[in-house]
Structures are given as structure tokens and as C-alpha cells.
Amino acid sequence: MKESFFQKLKRIRPGDVGHLFLFLLAIVPAWIYRKRRKHLWLLCEYGNEAQDNAFALFRYLREHRPDVDAVYAIAKRSPMYETVAAIGPVVPFGTLRHWMYYLAAEVNVSSQKGGKPNAPVCYLLEVVLGVLKNRRVFLQHGVTMNDLPFLHAENAELSLFCCAAEPEYAFIRDTFGYPKDAVRYTGFCRFDALLDAKADPGLLLILPTWRMWLERECRSDEAFSDSEYFRAWDAFLNDPALDALLKETGMRAVFCVHRNMMRFETRFLSRSERVEVKPWNSVSVPELLKTAAVLVTDFSSVHMDFAFMKKPVVYYQFDREAFHRGHLPSGYFDFARDGFGQIAETPSGAIAALRETVLNGCRMAPEYEERVDRFYPLRDRNNSERTAKAIEELIGKR
């Protein structure tokens, strides 16, 4: 559904106005700078992050394609800043220089739709007013499973949309409104490192996604604690059967609080000494996904990374109807038909499925392996190479 002009304009907040001035200040220097660096590729994720597809592509370019003039935008306060700077050139995220690079770049590449000097102002310039006609490549953060109107062509106007799986590619190509050649099945850049991953048989990862309505409606910790979301995950984390399973098998569990639930992070506690509760910004989610032997999640797209490695997943989906009604509408992916593991709606059901999986040696059942093979016909280490070539083809069109 196409948003109205005023719906789009509402995204601009008073705190974003300062970036309008940075944009105006950057126009002339960017025009001059582009004459010096005609083929600049600017890559980023969120300001503080470097652990997703954009970072994987940046690392690939620095190691295998030094001919590409690539710069990564990341905040100086980020704990990843020095790590990225050791790999290649960086620009401080959200600064005047970032704006200058963004305007001068031949192509802007991000794994987040908001991966820009200031997302609302860029949205105003690129989509609402249409005055900024730059090339924008979307590498995605998670595999798209649902219909996402904010990513439709009329609401995002992306130049290149990269996909990780064949059914996902077909769905986006046929329903999101982009020209056929703007949607490409390249595979996710970060998947290049997954096939070499070695699992720790003693690690269980519990990683739920967030709920949009909770972020809007819960004005206090107490209100959040009354939510079905919190009560369901609290019941799972503190179920004696989970503690007993972990003790019996010698496993430990890490429960990772989603980045958009971080303001409620202190509400999540476990009485089990074998369960650690970790906020999003204190761990490397990609490393946990590579290391864990089993994953418990609800609807998070991280199960797609896990399944790519053919490691077992248990889905704890206590609010399926509410999730699709209030968070993301259903798309082509049906967990019962297409998912990669058992589905449970109660803590006891999820723990029973988990027990069966663990006692089976943490191996993915054959029926789910077959689904993985159908979903990911491309299972190699060439995703970054394909993505770089797709970007070069995009550039060559103009």
C-alpha cells in the first residue's frame, strides 16, 4: 500500500532538522569531492554496528577487490570502530563528512534500510521529494519472510535489492513492485562464513524477535511485564524443565534480548545458573549463531542463518495471530509448511521439542534438511562475489 505524502512526512522529527543543514553544507564539497573519487562505494549498517552483510561485503572488497574504492561508515563511539578501521577506510557515521561521502558516492550500500547519515532526512530527500537521485543498494539484514510494504518500490525506491533465498527472491520480485532486474538472488554476504562454522555442542541459543506494538504501547517496565510477550518468555526461561534439561545434558543457554527490546532488558531474569541473559549490544550475534548447537526462537529471521548451516531450530510461537496482525503481515513463508523445526505454543511444548532435539545429538531432522536444500539452492561461499558483481552491473547501466 502506497503511503500518502503526509504519512511520509511524519517520519521527520524535530531532532532530525539539524541534518537538513548538514545536507545543505555538504552539497558543494560533495560535488567537488566526487570529481576526485568518481567510483566511491559507501557501506554501512546501523551507526554502531559492523556485523552484518555490509560489513561482510566491505571485508570481502578489502581482501579480494582492492580495485574498488570502498569506505565504511561507523560511529566513532562504536566498539567496532577500531576493528573496521583496521580493515579499511572509515568515515564517522552521521557527521558532515559522512553526508559529503553519501552525496558523492557512486553507490550507497547498506544492510539496513536506515543505514544513512540520517534516515528520516534521507527518506525525505530520496522518496518524499525525490530530489536525491542516488544509487541505493539494499543487502538486507534478515531474510524477508513477510510482506513488508515499507520496502515496496513505491515506498523505498531502492536501486538494487539483494536476496538470500530462491523463494524469497521470487516473492520480492513478483510482489514488491521493482523492475525485474532490480531484485537479484545473490545470497547474503555474511553467509559466506557460515559453512565453516563449528558448533559448540554445549551451547543453546535463545533469540526471540521484538514486537512493534510493545515498543509503542509500553510506557513503563510494569506495563511491559504485564505483556503476553514478557510472560511467555519469562515462563520459558524459568521453567524447571529447562533447567533440568540443561543440567542433565551439561549444556548452557544464552538468552539474547533483541535490540528493540533493550529498554526492557533488566526485566528478563533467569533463576537457572545455566541460563545467561545478554543484551544485544554485549554479544556478537553472528558468532553466537555460528557457535550454538541449537536455536530457540519465535519468528526471528535468525533462524534462516541457523538453517543455512543445517543446525536444528525449535520455534516457540505463543502469539502467532497477534504477531501477524500487529507486527508483520504474513508473506510466502509458512512455518508449518516451510519451517526448519518443530513449532510449539507453550513453554512445556517448546522444552519437549528441545529435549527431543538435544537427545538426538543436536542434529537437524532429514525432513527439515530437505526444506533447507529447496530454500537455499545456492549454498556456497561466493555470495559476496555475486553481490559485488551485481553492484558493478548496476553502476554500468548509467
Side-chain angles (χ1 to χ4, degrees), residues 58 71-74 81 84-86 88-92 97 101:
F58 181 66
V71 176
Y72 196 93
I74 187 166
Y81 183 87
V84 182
V90 296
V91 59
R97 192 152 66 96
Y101 279 37

Side-chain angles (χ1 to χ4, degrees), residues 93-109:
F93 194 97
T95 61
L96 176 61
R97 192 152 66 96
H98 187 190
W99 268 108
M100 186 178 78
Y101 279 37
Y102 189 76
L103 297 177
E106 184 173 34
V107 63
N108 287 281
V109 184

